[in-house]
Amino acid sequence: MRLRSILVALLAVLALVAPRHALAAEPQVTEARGAIVMDGQGQVLWELDAYRETNPASITKVMTAMVALDSGFPLDATITCVDVDLGDLSQTAGYVAGDKATLRDLLEVALVWSANDACYQIACGVAGSEEAFVALMNAKAQSLGMTHTHFENCHGLGGEQHYSCARDLALMGRYALANYPFIAQTVALERITTHVGKVELDLETTHKPISDYEGLLGIKTGSLLDDGSSFLGAAERDGLRVYTVVLDCPTLDGRFDDTRILMDWAFANCSTVRLCEEGQLVRMAPFAFDARLVCPVTYLQEAEGVRVKGMGAVTFRTTRASAQHLVAADAAYGATLWMQGSRLVGASTMASGRPVMRPLAVNPFLLPLFGEGGQMGGSPWA
């Protein structure tokens, strides 16, 4: 635990001293008042007022699905519906008290067709009440680092204290697709067939206008009369995955137009780079208790990131956990951040291993010490 805390602290220090540069070329969104492009590692590629708080509307349903799946309630278990009136302007599938539906059916109707009543039935069926379920949603949001988010209901239909921001929603979308196969599969569907009561319904996805976008993975639309339209999107091409959020677009089509602009920009200007491998040898450091021995220092995590064209070189900056040149075995050694201007590309921590006999010829200074850095691989990466 102490090793982990030391290395986390080192990464935080490095992030503070990283150089700052402006992005050379930016996407030109036309309607969104808040927007973001995030890569598959959770690093921001571009943002516009990404911490501006607004009602996420039906994008809320992604959190509803995660909390429902976290509960352990079986997907094919039956939920008996309760009475609910969400108003005339609410998109509903038509569930009434006494109807039977599986959690699977309700989640599909909520995520694909964005039915608010499906979310309410999920909340009551899983947690006993919407209030109890929403408490779980807010706890989940905090655990994901969604610091500008608070949920007041399970569907996104109004609420003065129901808000999020582009950055938080991108984090949520990335986590949902990476950790919930059911959500990833469902938000990619273009249509579903289900039963509500005794009626069979054929329902199309609410993001159908952009479903033909190459590599689109989903995931969720949002729309409110007073807060405009929004879209949390994800797409992947040639191994590069991006997450986009556009918020508060004045028109329904604007959310899809701006999403295309963001995704087109990302795929035209960004590429994946491998920074280091887990277990990769960094250096051989002198062992503190025997001059004949050295300890291998290796990266503890593989690191991969995204390079943005026209933003300058990918550089690295390293620091050590201790000012001492000698090291103990199995100890925190340091951390490396790879940066492109002010943007974090990736990071990895290092630790020393068990001591071995010093080779006859070894360079113990393979890695720059505290305060030093350089360009990745010595190439311009421009």
Side-chain angles (χ1 to χ4, degrees), residues 41-294:
Q41 308 302 315
Q43 305 302 337
V44 175
L45 302 176
W46 178 85
E47 59 186 342
L48 169 68
D49 209 358
Y51 288 90
R52 177 179 174 274
E53 295 174 355
T54 189
N55 196 318
S58 286
I59 298 176
T60 299
K61 294 177 172 68
V62 176
M63 179 61 75
T64 298
M66 288 196 293
V67 170
L69 293 169
D70 285 346
S71 71
F73 196 96
L75 277 170
D76 293 316
T78 299
I79 290 175
T80 300
C81 296
V82 297
D83 188 43
V84 59
D85 182 3
L86 297 173
D88 294 336
L89 298 179
S90 171
Q91 176 145 313
T92 58
Y95 294 103
V96 298
D99 282 347
K100 307 285 186 180
T102 65
L103 177 59
R104 183 189 304 275
D105 289 339
L106 291 168
L107 284 172
E108 288 181 349
V109 173
L111 291 173
V112 176
W113 199 66
S114 201
N116 295 320
D117 56 344
C119 291
Y120 188 84
Q121 303 303 341
I122 290 168
C124 294
V126 168
S129 69
E130 184 180 28
E131 292 76 11
F133 190 87
V134 170
L136 297 175
M137 293 172 64
N138 284 315
K140 182 74 171 182
Q142 290 302 304
S143 73
L144 298 182
M146 298 171 66
T147 56
H148 289 256
T149 296
H150 184 267
F151 297 111
E152 193 173 304
N153 58 63
C154 61
H155 40 67
L157 187 66
E160 293 183 2
Q161 294 303 310
H162 193 91
Y163 57 83
S164 189
C165 66
R167 178 261 186 187
D168 285 7
L169 295 175
L171 285 177
M172 180 183 71
R174 173 178 173 267
Y175 188 86
L177 292 197
N179 295 279
Y180 297 85
F182 177 85
I183 294 178
Q185 294 163 10
T186 302
V187 297
L189 297 174
E190 292 194 27
R191 65 190 322 116
I192 59 170
T193 299
T194 190
H195 285 84
V196 176
K198 297 181 179 180
V199 179
E200 182 177 277
L201 299 180
D202 185 28
L203 305 173
E204 287 188 337
T205 176
T206 55
H207 67 251
K208 188 172 179 59
I210 200 175
S211 60
D212 63 345
Y213 188 85
E214 181 185 352
L216 188 76
L217 303 174
I219 69 175
K220 192 67 196 75
T221 55
S223 180
L224 288 173
L225 291 178
D226 297 329
D227 291 293
S229 68
S230 305
F231 185 57
L232 161 63
E236 184 170 355
R237 293 183 191 172
D238 300 324
L240 173 62
R241 177 173 292 197
V242 296
Y243 298 88
T244 61
V245 178
V246 294
L247 297 176
D248 295 346
C249 297
T251 67
L252 291 176
D253 288 339
R255 57 186 168 176
F256 300 127
D257 294 338
D258 277 355
T259 295
R260 288 179 183 273
I261 289 170
L262 293 181
M263 289 182 175
D264 285 347
W265 172 84
F267 290 126
N269 292 280
C270 303
S271 57
T272 301
V273 292
R274 180 58 61 92
L275 305 171
C276 72
E277 303 287 345
E278 180 183 353
Q280 179 180 324
L281 180 66
V282 177
R283 65 170 297 188
M284 302 297 290
F287 184 45
F289 305 108
D290 190 331
R292 299 169 300 173
L293 304 178
V294 289

Side-chain angles (χ1 to χ4, degrees), residues 4-32:
R4 177 186 174 89
S5 61
I6 291 173
L7 295 174
V8 169
L10 282 171
L11 288 176
V13 170
L14 281 174
L16 288 174
V17 300
R20 302 295 185 218
H21 300 287
L23 182 62
E26 300 189 15
Q28 302 298 316
V29 295
T30 60
E31 290 194 11

